[in-house]
Amino acid sequence: MAIGILLVGGFGTRLKPLTNQTPKPMLPIGGLPVTEHQLLAAKKAGINTVILATSYLSEVFIPYFGDGSKWGMKLLYAVEKEPLGTGGAIRNAAAMVGFSQSSEDFVIFNGDVLSKHDIAAQLDFHKANSADATLHLIEVADARAFGCVPTDSVGRVTDFLEKMDNPITNDINAGCYVFSPSVISEIPEGKVISIERETFPQLVKSGRPVYGYREQSYWLDIGTPAALFRGSRDFVAGDFMAGVGTKIASDCIITGGSSIGAGSSIGTGSVITNSIVGDGVFIGDNCTITDSFILHNCQIASGTEIIGKYISPTENLPISTQ
Ligand code: GTP
């Protein structure tokens, strides 16, 4: 079976300040880190060994995921002292399982994507084409903000194009790739390499079999605060959801697809709208929390009003969720 690599080492600059203390892939969607949603999707596709390619705030992942046995998976951690870029990170992570002797394909996940596409079908498509690399492609209404990836009639990638005003296709790279082990050995070792800007264009230019697996299913890149909140609302799909052991006073009003983590407590008369609240958070009585992100283990005093804010145990900063 294939081996998974999750790219989770980026700085998450566009999500600041939410990523000041939490790496982007550990931000919660419906009470679970984005990475956990991805592990569950990988497992569903029969991928039981996954390497987390970490760098920024790498120490946050291991206490949460451990050796993966809680999920019935084997998890390994490849830590880059300095971020090696998406390509360098893949090479570094794959070395942990001796990719040069491996006959197994690698499935690489950008760690900031929620996708319900059929990973097993993407792997089958890769094998059926004897491809070197196969990318999941998604069609967007307006591709101007993305690089686009044209394919021919059998799905072979013909080019990798940078952002442009008149994209020639609306198919974009959805951030999940299958790689044959031979391709990984061609990524230079210990160097900063971008898979999107260097490896893929070079493979296509040199005529190697790179394919696009097109599937339209739920897909979201959670790279900005507005997108993260959209992903959370999509997951909640109702007024709100709350995790195990959370106590909510009966007269609280919680709406707007808010998500409350596990082991939290919300006092009488509090109103929470379009917000993400972490685990172990204490919110006192008569608080108003709107369009805000409250990190795990915060204490909010009774009567506090929080609008458009990121709150951690040590920070109180404005955010925009629109
Ligand atoms: P921005 O700073 O907001 O652009 O975010 P980012 O760099 O964290 O993410 P980007 O969208 O550029 O990268 C896609 C995925 O690759 C994310 O899940 C990142 O965590 C991951 N990633 C980016 N650069 C590196 C890196 O140098 N090393 C590792 N291990 N992962 C990376």
Side-chain angles (χ1 to χ4, degrees):
M1 229 310 138
I3 294 169
I5 296 178
L6 294 190
L7 297 172
V8 293
F11 290 114
T13 322
R14 288 164 298 148
L15 262 162
K16 273 183 161 295
L18 278 60
T19 46
N20 283 355
Q21 299 180 27
T22 313
K24 171 163 65 171
M26 286 303 282
L27 290 169
I29 291 285
L32 301 181
V34 177
T35 299
E36 190 167 351
H37 290 286
Q38 292 190 310
L39 286 178
L40 295 171
K43 185 160 196 246
K44 196 169 152 209
I47 301 169
N48 291 313
T49 299
V50 174
I51 308 161
L52 272 69
T54 69
S55 184
Y56 174 64
L57 295 174
S58 58
E59 66 278 10
V60 175
F61 293 91
I62 300 177
Y64 188 92
F65 291 109
D67 63 2
S69 49
K70 188 174 159 196
W71 291 267
M73 301 176 84
K74 181 179 173 190
L75 295 187
L76 302 168
Y77 299 87
V79 183
E80 299 146 45
K81 263 200 196 141
E82 295 296 328
L84 288 169
T86 44
I90 293 169
R91 164 86 198 209
N92 185 57
M96 288 194 83
V97 289
F99 64 87
S100 47
Q101 279 94 49
S102 171
S103 55
E104 309 223 46
D105 292 323
F106 287 85
V107 180
I108 325 287
F109 301 82
N110 272 359
D112 52 359
V113 168
L114 293 172
S115 176
K116 292 203 174 138
H117 80 284
D118 185 340
I119 299 163
Q122 183 181 351
L123 261 164
D124 289 345
F125 188 69
H126 178 80
K127 286 190 205 317
N129 290 310
S130 303
D132 278 353
T134 301
L135 299 89
H136 174 213
L137 302 181
I138 192 110
E139 188 180 344
V140 293
D142 182 357
R144 280 177 301 179
F146 305 89
C148 67
V149 185
T151 47
D152 68 13
S153 58
V154 293
R156 193 163 170 161
V157 174
T158 53
D159 215 344
F160 264 82
L161 299 166
E162 298 286 339
K163 288 178 200 172
M164 58 175 91
D165 287 340
N166 295 303
I168 59 167
T169 169
N170 283 351
D171 286 348
I172 63 158
N173 172 4
C176 179
Y177 328 118
V178 184
F179 274 4
S180 298
S182 61
V183 175
I184 293 187
S185 62
E186 292 173 34
I187 302 173
E189 197 180 350
K191 281 179 75 177
V192 177
I193 303 280
S194 161
I195 209 76
E196 301 87 352
R197 286 191 296 279
E198 296 170 74
T199 314
F200 284 133
Q202 279 161 17
L203 286 171
V204 171
K205 214 169 162 197
S206 53
R208 304 281 292 273
V210 176
Y211 280 78
Y213 169 75
R214 300 174 76 239
E215 184 184 324
Q216 253 353 72
S217 43
Y218 180 83
W219 180 86
L220 186 70
D221 172 346
I222 56 103
T224 62
L228 180 82
F229 273 72
R230 190 176 330 128
S232 186
R233 282 194 301 269
D234 289 347
F235 192 88
V236 172
D239 281 340
F240 79 100
M241 65 170 286
V244 178
T246 285
K247 295 193 178 73
I248 300 174
S250 58
D251 60 351
C252 289
I253 302 174
I254 309 182
T255 58
S258 294
S259 167
I260 320 290
S264 293
S265 157
I266 303 173
T268 183
S270 288
V271 178
I272 301 180
T273 312
N274 184 35
S275 292
I276 300 175
V277 175
D279 301 333
V281 172
F282 172 86
I283 296 175
D285 299 340
N286 302 312
C287 291
T288 302
I289 298 177
T290 308
D291 298 337
S292 293
F293 184 100
I294 316 290
L295 191 59
H296 308 308
N297 306 318
C298 283
Q299 307 269 327
I300 310 292
S302 291
T304 307
E305 186 178 74
I306 298 172
I307 300 174
K309 288 282 182 67
Y310 159 76
I311 309 284
S312 79
T314 53
E315 296 160 298
N316 179 332
L317 296 163
I319 55 167
S320 168
T321 64
Q322 306 306 317

